[in-house]
Amino acid sequence: MPALHPDAQALLRAMREAGRPPFEALLPAEAREAYGASRAALQPPLDAVALARDLAAPGPGGPVRLRLYRGLGTGPEPLPGLLYLHGGGWMLGDLASHDWVCRRLATVARACVVAVDYRLAPEHPFPAALEDAAAALAFVAAEAGALGIDPSRLAVGGDSAGGNLAAVLALMGRDGHLPATAFQALLYPAVDLGMTGESYARVTRDVPITAATMRYFIDHYAPDPGMRSDWRASPARAPSLAGLPPALVLTCGHDPLCDEGRAYAARLEREGVPVTALHLGDQIHGMLTMGRAIGAAAPTLAFVGQALREAWRTASGAPVSVDSPTPLPEDQGQTTNSRQ
C-alpha cells in the first residue's frame, strides 16, 4: 500500500496516544457514544446554509427523520436534490454526525440535500435501514414540489454503509420499485457483505476501520449469513448493473472496503454505466467526516459537489457554461438554521 498521508498519520498517532479502543471492542451503545464524542475533535465548524429544517417521512417502522438543507447562495427556485445516507456501519451515526458533510455538499453542489436518519442495527437489523432509506426516497420524490426540489434531477449518495444503501436505492429505482434517480455518489461504499475483497487481508491494524471492525458491523447488521448474499444487502451481487444512473465511486487505499469499491466501479463501467472513479491511495476510511484533522476532506467534497452539478447539468440538457465554484462562507463557525 502507498504511504499514509501526513494528516492521516498525525491523526492516527493522536488516537493511539489517547488510547482509543477499536469499535469492535465496545458494546453498540458504547461505540455510538465514542463515535459521537469524536465529532468535536474531527469536524470543522458548521457551514452556514440558506436553510436547514427537520422533516419526517412515513416509514414502515414509524416516521423517518429527515433534515433538508439548501445551499448557501441558492434562491427559492427548484433545486436539484441529493438524498444522503450517512455512514457508520449501519450501527452508528445520525443527522448530527454528518451535518457538516451535508451542509458543505448543499453549497458546493448548489443543491437541496436531504439527510436520512434511518433505523440502526443491532436493534433494527437488515433490511430496516434500507426500508427507511426507500421510504425517504419515495417521500422526497412525491413531495419534491413542496420541498423545492426538481424531481428530474434527483440523486442518491452516501458514505460507507450509506454508500451501500444508496447503491441499492439506485438499483431499486432502475427496476421500478422506487423513483428513478439521475446519479449515485458512492463514497467508500460497502457493496459486498461477504468481505471477499483482497483489501480485507491488507487493512487489519493501525486505522480506525479495519477488517475486524467491518466484521463487527456486518455481524450486527446482517446476523444471518444468508442475508449477506441478498443483493439488497450486497449490491455487488446484483445479477446486472446495466441501466443504472451514472456514478461517482470514491475509494481510499487504507480501507478494507477499497477493493470491493474499485471492483464495483469497474463492473459498472463494463456494464455500460458512466463512472467517475476517484481513488485516494494515501487516505483512510471515514476521511470525509474528519475535516478538522484531514485537509483533503474539503477538496474531496468539493469534487463530489462538482460531479453532482455536472451530472445534473447533463440530465437537464442545459448548455455548456463556464462558471466558478460557489465560494464558501468566510464565517465557517456561523450557521443559518431555520428548523420548522
Side-chain angles (χ1 to χ4, degrees), residues 69-106:
Y69 307 84
R70 291 178 72 86
L72 191 70
T74 61
E77 72 280 359
L79 297 176
L82 170 65
L83 187 81
Y84 193 86
L85 292 310
H86 68 79
W90 307 275
M91 291 179 59
L92 317 174
D94 51 26
L95 297 177
S97 68
H98 286 63
D99 199 14
W100 180 76
V101 168
C102 291
R103 287 168 177 268
R104 181 59 60 95
L105 283 175

Side-chain angles (χ1 to χ4, degrees), residues 46-321:
L46 296 178
D47 291 343
V49 292
L51 174 70
R53 68 184 179 105
D54 291 344
L55 307 166
V64 181
R65 294 176 61 230
L66 309 175
R67 184 168 294 165
L68 179 148
Y69 307 84
R70 291 178 72 86
L72 191 70
T74 61
E77 72 280 359
L79 297 176
L82 170 65
L83 187 81
Y84 193 86
L85 292 310
H86 68 79
W90 307 275
M91 291 179 59
L92 317 174
D94 51 26
L95 297 177
S97 68
H98 286 63
D99 199 14
W100 180 76
V101 168
C102 291
R103 287 168 177 268
R104 181 59 60 95
L105 283 175
T107 293
V108 298
R110 297 191 61 79
C112 184
V113 174
V114 181
V116 184
D117 191 19
Y118 53 84
R119 287 172 290 168
L120 299 176
E123 297 87 348
H124 304 285
F126 172 81
L130 177 60
E131 291 173 345
D132 287 356
L137 178 57
F139 171 81
V140 169
E143 301 296 326
L147 298 175
I149 293 173
D150 176 356
S152 71
R153 294 184 292 162
L154 187 58
V156 289
D159 60 297
S160 192
N164 168 281
L165 298 171
V168 177
L169 293 184
L171 283 159
M172 294 175 73
R174 178 200 64 181
D175 294 341
H177 303 301
L178 285 173
T181 50
F183 193 73
Q184 49 181 328
L186 311 181
L187 312 177
Y188 35 80
V191 291
D192 186 357
L193 272 58
M195 299 178 63
T196 58
E198 292 182 5
S199 48
Y200 280 101
R202 294 197 308 269
V203 185
T204 60
R205 53 179 292 181
D206 299 330
V207 290
I209 303 298
T210 65
T213 314
M214 286 307 303
R215 172 61 66 193
Y216 169 76
F217 289 150
I218 291 168
D219 283 348
H220 283 93
Y221 177 57
D224 177 358
M227 301 174 178
R228 302 170 193 174
S229 60
D230 188 324
W231 65 266
R232 298 174 305 154
S234 295
R237 302 193 180 207
S240 171
L241 304 183
L244 283 172
L248 165 66
V249 183
L250 167 66
T251 53
C252 296
H254 297 261
D255 179 0
L257 301 179
C258 172
D259 286 358
E260 67 189 64
R262 298 185 84 177
Y264 195 70
R267 185 180 165 204
L268 284 166
E269 189 166 45
R270 283 198 308 273
E271 298 189 26
V273 178
V275 177
T276 299
L278 176 61
H279 179 63
L280 305 180
D282 59 356
Q283 284 296 344
I284 61 175
H285 188 92
M287 50 84 66
L288 294 175
T289 51
M290 301 173 180
R292 188 186 290 271
I294 295 182
T300 302
L301 284 173
F303 183 93
V304 175
Q306 289 298 318
L308 284 161
R309 290 183 68 178
E310 174 61 12
W312 286 322
R313 183 191 67 80
T314 304
S316 69
V320 174
S321 62

Side-chain angles (χ1 to χ4, degrees), residues 6-69:
D7 288 352
Q9 291 181 19
L11 172 61
L12 297 176
R13 183 166 57 250
M15 293 172 62
R16 287 193 298 271
E17 291 171 354
R20 172 179 160 174
F23 287 122
E24 61 268 25
L26 303 173
L27 296 172
E30 295 171 332
R32 288 172 189 158
E33 183 177 358
Y35 188 66
S38 68
R39 193 177 309 135
L42 294 177
Q43 295 194 16
L46 296 178
D47 291 343
V49 292
L51 174 70
R53 68 184 179 105
D54 291 344
L55 307 166
V64 181
R65 294 176 61 230
L66 309 175
R67 184 168 294 165
L68 179 148
Y69 307 84

